Amino acid sequence: MAFVHLDVVRFYTLLICAVFSSVSSNAEIKVNPPQDFEIVDPGYLGYLCLQWQPPLSLENFEECTVEYELKYRNIDSEDWKTIITKNLHYKDGFDLNKGIEAKIHTLLPPHCTNGSKVQSLWSEATYWIAPQGNQETKIQEMDCVYYNWQYLYCSWKPGMGVHFNTSYQLFYWYDGLDHATQCAEYIQVDGQNIGCRFPYLEASDYKDFYICVNGSSDSDPVRPSYFIFQLQNIVKPLPPDYLIITVKNSEEVNLKWATPNGPIPAKCFIYEIEFTEDDTTWVTTTVENELHTTRISNKSQQLCFSVRSKVNIYCSDDGIWSEWSGKQCWKGLLWRKRSLLSSGHILLTQ
């Protein structure tokens, strides 16, 4: 029995030594954080570069592929964006109205560390544009619309209480331009810039579009305003036209209209139809440029409808409804008069 007890003690002693030896072995594996981590502004109005250099003392991991875990956000955001990369830089867009913070650490893959997870301490960086001018000097009510996926217009109102000689300038950039470009055609009221008509923007869809509106004044500094959006999400198409209403057998109603003119593909439209039968009105939507319905009552004397269009979720994340088309109507007395001459259906167009 004494020998059995001794063997058990020896077994547990060896097990504990093995565990501590493993912990000690893994604890000795360390890696430094990346060097020279910084946030660089190349002058693209919010498109920034986060860059770094490899950590010191990587001689023991020459055959390992070192990775980096990068986290970044605007300072007032609750959520960090996280990227795992093998590169020494990463680019993304930020709201320059607010500060930016980022942190990064080195990761060693398990096959280089006896299967354990080894990471360095964090290296941190921040970036912000030093504010100038009072908050009230910023422009107000910035509104940008991409009309018919062809022509971009932006407009704004001057800041509150700014001096009459305050002059605002708009600059923009998107991937494909060599540098930030100033508006070439301002919209003015009383000699003051309150908007911009943009030229043709080649290959600008489905990219972040960056805008800065800053200003100058003889009296006080003017605080700049920064904006980021994608053009396909602010498209306002033309309204449909060539509306046709067809009534068959005094009950079946067919509404049809033409796809709006312009470069927007037919598959990209959604339509909203407002249909009125005497004093009753209802609204529905469809992705087709045709709608079938029935009359509520055979005694109704007038049917009218109008249509508006918008870019649908298959081509954008959002959009702006067009203006309503003109109304197309059918009147019951006219239908009855013609039905005496020819039973079947009636076709009315404007």
Side-chain angles (χ1 to χ4, degrees):
M1 294 295 291
F3 290 107
V4 173
H5 176 72
L6 181 60
D7 289 342
V8 171
V9 171
R10 184 179 300 166
F11 171 76
Y12 279 109
T13 302
L14 292 173
L15 179 61
I16 292 172
C17 289
V19 169
F20 275 101
S21 175
S22 176
V23 171
S24 175
S25 176
N26 286 338
E28 292 174 359
I29 301 176
K30 294 182 179 180
V31 66
N32 291 315
Q35 302 180 84
D36 303 326
F37 180 43
E38 60 181 341
I39 303 172
V40 178
D41 186 351
Y44 295 152
L45 312 180
Y47 188 67
L48 306 181
C49 180
L50 295 84
Q51 60 188 37
W52 57 92
Q53 293 299 319
L56 293 172
S57 305
L58 281 179
E59 293 83 1
N60 296 330
F61 308 105
E62 291 180 353
E63 297 182 1
C64 295
T65 302
V66 176
E67 294 184 330
Y68 305 96
E69 182 178 16
L70 171 67
K71 291 179 177 286
Y72 59 91
R73 65 179 179 180
N74 276 108
I75 287 177
D76 66 342
S77 174
E78 295 182 358
D79 300 321
W80 292 87
K81 289 186 178 180
T82 301
I83 300 295
I84 304 295
T85 180
K86 300 173 184 177
N87 298 322
L88 296 175
H89 63 85
Y90 189 79
K91 298 177 181 179
D92 203 352
F94 295 86
D95 181 359
L96 291 188
N97 296 299
K98 309 161 187 174
I100 297 106
E101 59 182 342
K103 56 185 180 180
I104 189 170
H105 62 192
T106 311
L107 302 176
L108 291 181
H111 70 269
C112 298
T113 59
N114 298 325
S116 62
K117 181 178 181 181
V118 175
Q119 59 190 35
S120 73
L121 298 175
W122 290 102
S123 179
E124 299 180 350
T126 58
Y127 180 81
W128 66 89
I129 295 178
Q132 61 177 5
N134 295 326
Q135 183 75 15
E136 292 76 14
T137 61
K138 296 176 64 172
I139 62 167
Q140 306 175 74
E141 300 180 26
M142 180 68 158
D143 183 42
C144 293
V145 179
Y146 200 25
Y147 288 97
N148 209 34
W149 215 310
Q150 292 175 297
Y151 312 106
L152 177 62
Y153 291 77
C154 289
S155 61
W156 60 83
K157 291 183 179 179
M160 297 176 61
V162 295
H163 198 266
F164 71 90
N165 65 7
T166 300
S167 175
Y168 291 102
Q169 297 87 37
L170 180 146
F171 294 84
Y172 65 96
W173 182 85
Y174 61 91
D175 187 15
L177 297 182
D178 294 333
H179 53 81
T181 303
Q182 185 174 182
C183 174
E185 186 180 357
Y186 285 107
I187 304 168
Q188 295 187 330
V189 172
D190 297 329
Q192 189 174 60
N193 296 337
I194 54 89
C196 177
R197 297 183 184 92
F198 291 76
Y200 172 68
L201 301 168
E202 184 177 2
S204 58
D205 304 334
Y206 301 100
K207 298 177 179 179
D208 284 339
F209 194 95
Y210 299 83
I211 285 180
C212 172
V213 181
N214 57 23
S216 59
S217 172
D218 294 340
S219 54
D220 299 310
V222 176
R223 183 167 297 191
S225 299
Y226 297 90
F227 306 90
I228 308 174
F229 51 82
Q230 293 198 345
L231 296 186
Q232 76 277 359
N233 294 332
I234 56 171
V235 171
K236 182 176 182 178
L238 294 172
D241 54 11
Y242 301 107
L243 277 63
I244 297 174
I245 182 169
T246 304
V247 180
K248 297 177 67 173
N249 304 323
S250 77
E251 291 184 359
E252 299 174 16
V253 180
N254 178 251
L255 314 176
K256 195 170 184 179
W257 53 90
T259 302
N261 291 322
I264 305 175
K267 66 179 181 180
C268 289
F269 283 109
I270 187 173
Y271 302 98
E272 189 170 72
I273 304 95
E274 183 179 72
F275 184 80
T276 302
E277 184 172 351
D278 287 345
D279 297 327
T280 302
T281 299
W282 52 269
V283 176
T284 189
T285 58
T286 179
V287 294
E288 304 292 337
N289 63 330
E290 188 171 8
L291 180 69
H292 301 276
T293 186
T294 57
R295 293 173 64 189
I296 297 174
S297 171
N298 288 335
K299 296 181 180 180
S300 58
Q301 297 299 305
Q302 181 169 278
L303 307 176
C304 295
F305 83 106
S306 56
V307 190
R308 61 179 182 174
S309 59
K310 180 181 175 182
V311 178
N312 62 35
I313 60 173
Y314 301 107
C315 299
S316 71
D317 295 331
D318 202 357
I320 303 171
W321 284 108
S322 74
E323 302 298 326
W324 286 100
S325 68
K327 281 189 176 182
Q328 175 65 55
C329 296
W330 167 87
K331 294 187 178 180
L333 291 175
L334 178 61
W335 181 85
R336 283 199 295 270
K337 181 178 179 181
R338 290 191 179 181
S339 67
L340 293 174
L341 301 175
S342 175
S343 60
H345 71 274
I346 180 170
L347 175 66
L348 294 181
T349 62
Q350 288 184 327

